[in-house]
């Protein structure tokens, strides 16, 4: 992550977990929770939870615990989940298809407004109900549709070129699935999902005995 | 990660990055690299690189650097990428489809031998060229096909039940994409990919100014 921030990235990466558990509690109609209970659920210590949430103002009350709805709303606001985002996907292979069609993102306010591909032939002009557009239209589309986030599901060879178009067109957040380290200006937020690396962590542990 | 190991998880998580860069060097026909060059490529310090690789025996030679092919082979062995794995996918939605059809896993020795779904209707009996099997056959299939790794791409509601079948049938490694914290025996290797959490890290940083 290129940006500087006063809150450590470790704390920020814990927030979505709080958010997920708070959403589950709300679904169950639970409106009040102690930091001890929240600790049992999340696996974080009660003192860590208090510290984490104090970074953003502290939402608990001594002797009462947390109001789930308020805390959920506050964490949503911190995570920027209280607004909507326009998102494009470039790379219309299996992974791009999966991402473009995953309902969970839309429910969280991430609206896929366009899917783009370099390899758009007659068999590949639609992903389910969405038109796949040629890469040549990407830059103007981003500008016209005020796109906030660009997803990259291309091959590693094409990923940097797509990222460059995203940046040129004014996108500030990039979610990259290609197995490559993108070079980007400092003010661009980059998250890279490394699927192959996650999988090889499993194979490492399955073979750990052999390495001793 | 439940397993205890002498090498820290931080080091292990860096190994796939070395492996990726070494693969790229091999593809380019580069056979020798100094730790300084490897440092420039990976962004790790030269001293960190030496320390990391020393955990597994140390492969460099003073004044020569690393032999890329040997180091690549050694890291592959450490990561368990020198053998093949039988893998099943449960959950035949968009994400399961993408995972089952992603060629990169097969190239690394992860062979998808079966795809399973609870919701197998007449429109959903095949993923491209692979048959989607009913969940009732999962346990016996795992045993008969010596399956090593089970992938979970179901809803969060069904993920634990699928994990329980995996464990009962003898699977030792689970790659989970469902947004839930699975409860598993200590000897099972679990990697959870949290797509929504990765995405909300982007939205956090895009809205960081508002939180100050």
């Amino acid at each position: 992550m290129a940006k500087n921030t006063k809150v450590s990235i470790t704390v920020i990466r814990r927030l979505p977990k709080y958010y997920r558990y708070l959403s589950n509690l709300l679904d169950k109609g639970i409106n009040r929770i102690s930091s001890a209970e929240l600790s049992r659920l999340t696996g974080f210590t009660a003192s860590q939870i208090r510290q984490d949430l104090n970074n953003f103002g502290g939402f608990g009350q001594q002797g009462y615990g947390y109001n789930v709805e308020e805390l959920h709303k506050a964490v949503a606001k911190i995570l920027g989940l209280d607004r909507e985002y326009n998102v494009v996907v470039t790379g219309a292979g299996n992974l791009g298809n999966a991402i473009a069609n995953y309902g969970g993102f839309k429910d969280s306010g991430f609206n896929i407004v366009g899917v783009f591909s370099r390899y758009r032939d007659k068999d590949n002009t639609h992903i389910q109900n969405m038109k796949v557009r040629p890469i040549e239209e990407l830059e103007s589309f981003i500008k016209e549709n005020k796109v906030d986030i660009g997803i990259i599901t291309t091959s590693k060879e094409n990923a940097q070129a797509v990222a460059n178009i995203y940046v040129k067109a004014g996108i500030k957040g990039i979610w990259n699935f290609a197995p490559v380290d993108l070079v980007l200006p400092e003010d661009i937020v980059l998250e890279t999902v490394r699927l192959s690396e996650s999988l090889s962590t499993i194979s490492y542990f399955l073979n750990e005995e052999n390495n001793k």
Side-chain angles (χ1 to χ4, degrees), chain A:
Chain A
M1 193 63 57
K3 296 187 87 170
N4 289 314
T5 165
K6 280 185 274 185
V7 181
S8 83
I9 183 75
T10 321
V11 174
I12 293 152
R13 289 200 181 277
R14 278 199 290 268
L15 289 179
K17 188 168 180 176
Y18 289 114
Y19 186 70
R20 177 159 52 86
Y21 277 101
L22 291 167
S23 301
N24 290 347
L25 290 170
L26 273 190
D27 287 348
K28 288 179 193 160
I30 297 170
N31 285 316
R32 183 175 152 178
I33 190 164
S34 66
S35 53
E37 285 168 292
L38 203 51
S39 163
R40 194 182 48 78
L41 278 177
T42 58
F44 308 145
T45 66
S47 110
Q48 188 171 52
I49 290 172
R50 279 189 297 266
Q51 267 185 359
D52 284 353
L53 300 177
N54 276 340
N55 273 303
F56 304 97
F59 305 97
Q61 267 182 279
Q62 192 79 37
Y64 176 87
Y66 295 100
N67 177 306
V68 174
E69 196 176 341
E70 272 179 28
L71 187 56
H72 182 264
K73 208 169 159 184
V75 175
K77 189 166 182 303
I78 294 165
L79 286 174
L81 298 176
D82 59 340
R83 50 163 285 204
E84 303 212 348
Y85 298 87
N86 286 341
V87 182
V88 292
V89 178
T90 304
N94 284 312
L95 188 60
N97 199 322
I99 299 282
N101 287 293
Y102 180 58
F105 299 141
K106 193 173 164 47
D107 296 343
S108 303
F110 299 93
N111 303 313
I112 311 283
V113 294
V115 180
F116 291 81
S117 175
R118 188 177 295 270
Y119 307 105
R120 202 187 61 121
D121 60 28
K122 68 176 171 30
D123 297 327
N124 184 25
T125 55
H126 283 77
I127 278 188
Q128 295 199 6
N129 295 320
M130 192 169 289
K131 189 182 166 189
V132 178
R133 299 165 197 272
I135 197 92
E136 291 75 17
E137 296 173 10
L138 179 56
E139 189 178 336
S140 59
F141 184 94
I142 291 169
K143 289 174 181 164
E144 283 158 25
N145 292 276
K146 296 189 174 26
V147 173
D148 305 286
I149 296 172
I151 302 179
I152 300 177
T153 51
T154 64
S155 68
K156 64 178 177 181
E157 287 77 14
N158 292 326
Q160 182 68 53
V162 171
N164 293 346
I165 299 172
Y166 283 171
V167 171
K168 193 175 169 206
I171 275 183
K172 293 294 177 205
I174 295 181
W175 204 26
N176 174 39
F177 286 81
V180 63
D181 294 323
L182 297 174
V183 179
L184 298 171
E186 287 257 317
D187 65 327
I188 305 296
V189 179
L190 170 66
E191 270 281 302
T192 299
V193 179
R194 303 198 180 279
L195 293 179
S196 290
E197 298 188 10
S198 172
L199 189 51
S200 56
T201 305
I202 298 182
S203 58
Y204 169 83
F205 281 105
L206 291 181
N207 291 279
E208 201 187 357
E209 291 306 313
N210 306 340
N211 294 322
K212 281 180 178 162

